Amino acid sequence: MSDENLLSQVAGFPLQWCWDVQNSSMTCSEQLPALLGYPKEGSLTLAQLLASAQADQRDMLKALVRDVYQKHLTKEVRVTISTEKQRFVALLCVWHDVSEPHLIQGTVEVLINIPSEQIEFELLHYLFVKAHVGMLVLDAKQRILMANQEFCRSTGFEANELLGVSAELFGGNDADPQMYQRIWLAVDKKGFWSGELLARDKQGLTFVHELTLQRIQVRSEKSCFYVAISKRLDAAMTRIDNEPENPEDMLAPDSSSKLLAVAEFKQKLNQHFTQLPGDRTMVLVVFQPYFSKNISTSMSHWLIGNRLLALPNEMEIGVLSQDLFAGFFIVPRNLGVIHQQLQVLMNAICKDDEQLGEINDIDIKVSLGVSILGTDAISTTQLMSHASQALVGSRERGSSSIIYFDNRLQKKMDSKQVLSRLLDKAISANQIDVFYQPIIDLRTLNITKFEALFRVNLDTKLPYNTQELIQLAEENGWIDRIDLAVTRKGLIDLLSIQEHFKDPAIQLSVNRSMRNDRLSHCCLEDTLKVIMDARIDPKLVTVELTESSFLADVDRQMVWIERLKKEGIEIAIDDFGTGYSSFSYLLNLPINLIKIDRSFVMDLKMGSNAYMMIEMVTSLVHRMGGKVVAEGVETAEILHMISLAKVDYAQGYLFAKPISLTDILAGKLPHNFAQHQPVLSSSNVRSARDIMLREFPRVSLDHKLGTVLEKMRNHPSNFWVVIEEGQCRGILRDADINAAISPYLETDSEQKRDVLTLNRRVHQILKKGGYESLNQTSEVDIIKRAFQNPENKLVVVTGDTGGCVGIITPDILFQNL
């Protein structure tokens, strides 16, 4: 029977097979071996069954069979069967019945015949050649191996002209080598890159195209290949880089004109880009004016140049072609300011000028295509490309308008303008509200302090949230005003809160953003003055500083940090883990409190990386004498886990949302949350494992005293744990070493005896005692009793096998009590 007849005969009929795991044997339908390419065999093996699948599907099938067998499942999968004579798609069903644990059973059902690999190759090649988008195939060195018809058509090259040529051929005249290097690095790292770039055709004209690059690794080849898909977006930029140096109808730049020739414009653009301050951004706009009457190119340039004379000097305008202009300006990173500058440009172009006389009856409409550095572009090339694409969309509107590269940005900007105006008005009118969220001490479940939080009620139907308003305040430089207003009101309200709860120990935590402090240089100075002017003890106040903004300029802040600490004011790092997360800062800064960001807490799982990070940070902060707050505690399960991690305080919706002073005084918030006691860790007693030092100074019995002395110079410790075969053999103290070498120092015999002395071994001077060994499960009370013996200066912690796994000093024990 021919292969075609066999396929048609069994199509739609599942062919059964059964694999006996114990005996490594298979039984199957008589047609199955021939169907899978083994016509001379009466049966198959499981390996032959899986090997009949297409190569890239075999690993998947092996994993599927293993999963079915281990978990007693039933699974179906479509696979491509490829034999020497035929290829088809089959439905493979595999199941494992618990009642017959030694059997794996399944069926193979032919679904559809598919073309041979040769026909498939010819089909794919045809699709590549005839595709409606430009396509290239490149080798590992980015040289062109294949180019399809559409790419040749859009660039003007013949296919044979491109073979072996580097892809750099198509880079625009302003191509940034570093940008292309970053693109290729991204392709090699992630496997693909997609974005918009400028390119050049065979005539050297510039155009905008959407480019997708993909890295492909073929199994049979050691090196990789790249596929480039190019879609030409518009031709608005085709003459930017190719204008004649002295076009007859181009307005020559002079002292009375705001317009620059293209070369000078591009030079200034790149110059300002390289010198851009860190707190500013660059905005590039491409525009094409539309005149109500037909006028010459020279007249249009004269009109535009005349109307732009009133623009600020910071705004540079250039002539890109006969009917295309571009401009750029440097502004703060604020959408409101950006839009205002663009409005000034558009009004200047469209506004009538009475001094023009009869020419004044020519109406001008203009649409501005806008791109913003850092928002939708990272280079001058991208700025020009994205602004040009935005302009293409604006032409459909038929009226003067400002169109951003991403239209969503325009909607967002319009909303921001309204909210910014209302927020500024509320701040100026002192209409800031303060809500308070309690911070709970997990030892007592009492409220230990309140965090004062900014709130405001704006007169608008636009949707907004507090975080959005804070961001607006930071962008506009108003955050200092908000922080000070919240701090002043919080310090006043604290007295009422303490009186209500009859607890004078309740503290206040206030936020200070240093987003704008590099300009004002007075954030912490103002904070200290406001606190000292209040009628409360400064020791009741904690100042929370956002990790990223604080650590970005920590050296300059240290003077005021010390001033705050001197007055007893506590310092907290807020949102820990979202910024720099540098543990070296924690070790060197006088910080009292670390607030773990809610992003690490809200979906906390036992044993997860987030849990281990919280446990590690808490242990470190405790050893430094600080405390830890977990934010975002919303469930009893999370409360249980942070208590297991020995976190000191909790803050979150499980206890209370931020609440107004009115509601607090109305009794809507309890002082104690004892109802959560059952979910806390069952024991607050720590074991030796929880508090021990895992890294400690150690030497061996055979170490020479000279080696130990060298270690002493590089390590501040005054004792060394002597470890041999993983177990503690004793404690070597500085006094022991000094006693062994001091008789010969500063004497006439020193030079003769020092070599002999320094070559002595540790075991020769080691004394017994001075420490006690305890298992790592020993509780704190047992550790305290060990130190009641005055001879014990150290506890050596042992593991289950008796080996030394850590040490505890009296100082460490004291810090963890």
Side-chain angles (χ1 to χ4, degrees):
M1 184 182 297
S2 67
D3 296 327
E4 291 79 4
N5 290 337
L6 177 61
L7 274 177
S8 60
Q9 180 180 354
V10 301
F13 295 94
L15 302 181
Q16 296 182 347
W17 58 270
C18 179
W19 174 252
D20 190 325
V21 178
Q22 292 180 348
N23 300 322
S24 298
S25 62
M26 175 181 277
T27 57
C28 62
S29 300
E30 60 180 355
Q31 299 96 334
L32 188 58
L35 181 68
L36 300 184
Y38 305 96
K40 297 180 180 181
E41 300 186 20
S43 186
L44 296 171
T45 67
L46 184 61
Q48 288 174 324
L49 172 65
L50 300 179
S52 65
Q54 197 162 278
D56 59 354
Q57 297 176 342
R58 291 169 189 166
D59 290 340
M60 177 271 293
L61 287 179
K62 292 177 183 177
L64 181 143
V65 172
R66 189 184 306 114
D67 199 34
V68 167
Y69 180 68
Q70 293 175 348
K71 299 180 181 179
H72 316 299
L73 304 174
T74 298
K75 286 194 174 184
E76 291 184 347
V77 63
R78 293 172 184 259
V79 295
T80 300
I81 303 297
S82 182
T83 68
E84 291 184 1
K85 297 182 179 180
Q86 60 192 10
R87 299 173 77 222
F88 58 91
V89 176
L91 179 64
L92 179 65
C93 182
V94 187
W95 67 87
H96 181 251
D97 194 338
V98 181
S99 62
E100 297 179 296
H102 61 287
L103 299 180
I104 301 175
Q105 303 180 65
T107 59
V108 178
E109 179 183 348
V110 175
L111 297 179
I112 185 173
N113 192 15
I114 58 177
S116 67
E117 291 185 354
Q118 177 61 31
I119 297 176
E120 184 182 77
F121 171 79
E122 293 177 2
L123 176 62
L124 293 176
H125 183 75
Y126 179 85
L127 292 175
F128 172 82
V129 172
K130 298 295 184 179
H132 292 292
V133 292
M135 297 183 69
L136 296 174
V137 176
L138 313 171
D139 67 7
K141 296 183 179 180
Q142 295 97 48
R143 295 171 300 194
I144 298 174
L145 300 176
M146 300 169 62
N148 74 345
Q149 293 178 0
E150 177 60 24
F151 189 87
C152 294
R153 187 197 65 77
S154 63
T155 60
F157 287 95
E158 297 292 336
N160 62 304
E161 295 177 311
L162 298 175
L163 299 181
V165 176
S166 172
E168 295 178 359
L169 168 71
F170 303 104
N173 290 340
D174 289 332
D176 181 0
Q178 292 184 349
M179 181 188 69
Y180 283 109
Q181 185 178 11
R182 289 193 296 269
I183 290 175
W184 286 112
L185 287 174
V187 175
D188 287 334
K189 183 177 181 180
K190 299 181 179 179
F192 72 94
W193 178 89
S194 182
E196 298 81 25
L197 292 174
L198 293 180
R200 287 178 298 147
D201 59 17
K202 186 175 181 179
Q203 287 72 39
L205 300 179
T206 303
F207 64 91
V208 182
H209 70 140
E210 181 180 38
L211 179 66
T212 299
L213 290 169
Q214 186 168 354
R215 188 177 191 272
I216 297 176
Q217 187 72 50
V218 181
R219 289 189 177 186
S220 59
E221 294 288 337
K222 293 183 179 180
S223 59
C224 67
F225 297 90
Y226 300 95
V227 174
I229 301 176
S230 170
K231 182 178 181 182
R232 189 159 177 162
L233 297 178
D234 76 274
M237 304 294 293
T238 54
R239 286 181 284 182
I240 290 179
D241 294 320
N242 301 279
E243 289 296 323
E245 293 184 2
N246 297 298
E248 296 180 0
D249 58 351
M250 179 177 289
L251 180 66
D254 55 34
S255 58
S256 63
S257 174
K258 189 72 178 177
L259 300 179
L260 303 173
V262 60
E264 185 178 2
F265 175 79
K266 288 161 54 179
Q267 181 182 4
K268 287 194 173 186
L269 176 66
N270 291 323
Q271 179 182 355
H272 281 77
F273 175 78
T274 57
Q275 300 174 356
L276 187 67
D279 60 342
R280 295 288 190 271
T281 189
M282 175 180 284
V283 180
L284 191 138
V285 53
V286 175
F287 60 93
Q288 183 176 16
Y290 300 92
F291 302 93
S292 60
K293 296 182 179 180
N294 291 327
I295 57 176
S296 66
T297 300
S298 58
M299 177 61 72
S300 68
H301 288 186
W302 185 85
L303 277 174
I304 296 300
N306 186 282
R307 296 193 177 190
L308 295 180
L309 288 175
L311 287 177
N313 292 331
E314 294 78 11
M315 191 177 293
E316 302 286 357
I317 306 295
V319 181
L320 302 181
S321 66
Q322 293 182 356
D323 56 357
L324 195 64
F325 302 81
F328 72 88
F329 51 91
I330 309 298
V331 289
R333 299 175 180 275
N334 182 287
L335 279 176
V337 176
I338 292 172
H339 195 74
Q340 184 179 14
Q341 290 285 77
L342 293 170
Q343 194 70 47
V344 169
L345 173 61
M346 188 171 67
N347 291 341
I349 297 173
C350 300
K351 184 178 179 181
D352 295 338
D353 191 341
E354 296 179 357
Q355 296 180 357
L356 296 180
E358 294 180 359
I359 303 178
N360 191 45
D361 62 352
I362 300 177
D363 294 329
I364 303 177
K365 301 293 184 183
V366 65
S367 291
L368 310 178
V370 182
S371 177
I372 302 173
L373 187 68
T375 298
D376 59 70
I378 60 173
S379 66
T380 56
T381 301
Q382 275 196 336
L383 280 172
M384 192 75 79
S385 171
H386 291 176
S388 301
Q389 293 173 59
L391 179 62
V392 173
S394 70
R395 291 172 181 168
E396 300 175 357
R397 304 203 175 192
S399 60
S400 295
S401 56
I402 299 173
I403 309 299
Y404 292 90
F405 175 68
D406 187 344
N407 287 336
R408 293 173 297 179
L409 190 61
Q410 184 171 1
K411 296 179 181 179
K412 185 177 180 181
M413 188 281 309
D414 290 340
S415 173
K416 278 191 171 183
Q417 274 194 312
V418 174
L419 294 177
S420 294
R421 186 180 70 254
L422 294 175
L423 179 59
D424 185 25
K425 181 179 178 181
I427 297 172
S428 301
N430 196 25
Q431 296 174 344
I432 299 299
D433 293 328
V434 180
F435 275 42
Y436 300 93
Q437 188 171 32
I439 298 174
I440 312 302
D441 187 334
L442 294 187
R443 294 176 304 171
T444 63
L445 289 176
N446 286 336
I447 296 175
T448 186
K449 64 178 68 181
F450 282 91
E451 181 180 358
L453 299 169
F454 156 72
R455 293 292 187 271
V456 67
N457 185 21
L458 301 181
D459 185 17
T460 178
K461 294 182 179 180
L462 285 174
Y464 65 88
N465 56 53
T466 301
Q467 189 57 43
E468 184 179 2
L469 297 182
I470 290 175
Q471 185 176 353
L472 284 176
E474 289 178 337
E475 291 174 356
N476 288 281
W478 304 332
I479 193 65
D480 287 347
R481 296 161 60 190
I482 290 177
D483 281 349
L484 284 176
V486 171
T487 300
R488 288 192 181 98
K489 191 172 190 316
L491 291 170
I492 295 172
D493 291 349
L494 180 60
L495 297 174
S496 300
I497 293 173
Q498 291 174 336
E499 183 178 350
H500 170 74
F501 288 113
K502 296 180 175 55
D503 185 355
I506 289 179
Q507 303 177 27
L508 181 73
S509 191
V510 296
N511 292 278
R512 284 315 311 258
S513 170
M514 287 181 283
R515 171 75 177 266
N516 308 118
D517 191 54
R518 289 185 180 235
L519 300 177
S520 63
H521 300 290
C522 62
C523 172
L524 295 182
E525 182 180 0
D526 288 346
T527 303
L528 179 60
K529 185 178 184 306
V530 170
I531 295 173
M532 299 308 294
D533 289 344
R535 297 179 298 148
I536 67 169
D537 184 352
K539 295 183 178 62
L540 295 173
V541 180
T542 299
V543 176
E544 296 187 15
L545 306 175
T546 302
E547 178 185 6
S548 56
S549 62
F550 170 57
L551 298 180
D553 195 22
V554 66
D555 292 336
R556 189 173 59 79
Q557 304 293 351
M558 280 303 299
V559 175
W560 290 103
I561 292 289
E562 295 293 349
R563 289 284 302 275
L564 290 167
K565 292 283 291 183
K566 185 178 179 180
E567 299 297 337
I569 299 168
E570 292 192 340
I571 303 298
I573 295 298
D574 194 15
D575 300 335
F576 182 82
T578 60
Y580 285 66
S581 298
S582 174
F583 289 98
S584 62
Y585 282 116
L586 298 184
L587 295 171
N588 298 313
L589 293 177
I591 297 168
N592 304 96
L593 201 64
I594 293 296
K595 301 191 73 175
I596 302 293
D597 185 67
R598 61 190 291 113
S599 61
F600 291 92
V601 175
M602 291 193 64
D603 296 318
L604 193 62
K605 298 291 188 297
M606 185 61 66
S608 64
N609 290 336
Y611 178 82
M612 289 187 287
M613 188 278 287
I614 292 173
E615 192 175 42
M616 177 181 62
V617 169
T618 302
S619 177
L620 176 61
V621 173
H622 284 163
R623 292 177 185 179
M624 294 162 31
K627 301 291 185 181
V628 177
V629 180
E631 299 181 296
V633 178
E634 297 188 357
T635 66
E637 291 77 11
I638 291 176
L639 177 60
H640 176 71
M641 283 186 282
I642 65 170
S643 69
L644 281 174
K646 305 300 187 292
V647 169
D648 304 283
Y649 307 110
Q651 180 178 1
Y653 287 2
L654 178 64
F655 302 101
K657 295 182 178 181
I659 185 173
S660 68
L661 176 65
T662 302
D663 287 341
I664 291 175
L665 300 183
K668 296 184 179 181
L669 185 69
H671 186 211
N672 180 272
F673 293 85
Q675 68 271 25
H676 297 300
Q677 182 66 49
V679 305
L680 295 179
S681 173
S682 58
S683 174
N684 289 324
V685 178
R686 295 178 181 173
S687 65
R689 178 178 49 242
D690 297 324
I691 65 176
M692 68 183 182
L693 283 177
R694 289 173 171 82
E695 297 294 332
F696 51 87
R698 65 186 74 192
V699 293
S700 70
L701 287 170
D702 204 42
H703 263 120
K704 295 179 181 180
L705 295 188
T707 303
V708 178
L709 282 173
E710 185 64 29
K711 287 177 173 288
M712 289 173 59
R713 295 188 186 101
N714 300 318
H715 198 287
S717 178
N718 59 3
F719 67 89
W720 298 83
V721 182
V722 182
I723 300 293
E724 197 70 19
E725 297 180 350
Q727 295 188 342
C728 176
R729 302 301 185 185
I731 304 297
L732 183 65
R733 302 187 179 278
D734 288 357
D736 302 328
I737 301 174
N738 292 331
I741 65 175
S742 60
Y744 307 106
L745 296 179
E746 306 298 336
T747 67
D748 295 338
S749 60
E750 177 182 353
Q751 296 299 322
K752 298 178 181 179
R753 299 299 303 271
D754 60 354
V755 174
L756 293 175
T757 301
L758 297 179
N759 281 333
R760 297 180 71 187
R761 308 291 177 167
V762 169
H763 68 83
Q764 293 178 278
I765 66 169
L766 186 62
K767 297 180 180 180
K768 296 182 179 181
Y771 73 98
E772 182 170 339
S773 294
L774 293 177
N775 187 271
Q776 60 184 345
T777 59
S778 301
E779 296 179 347
V780 171
D781 288 340
I782 298 176
I783 301 172
K784 287 194 292 185
R785 285 198 294 271
F787 283 117
Q788 290 175 1
N789 183 349
E791 294 182 1
N792 290 337
K793 307 298 182 183
L794 192 73
V795 167
V796 173
V797 183
T798 59
D800 295 334
T801 59
C804 177
V805 295
I807 63 169
I808 300 173
T809 64
D811 290 339
I812 294 173
L813 177 62
F814 177 79
Q815 291 173 9
N816 286 276
L817 290 178

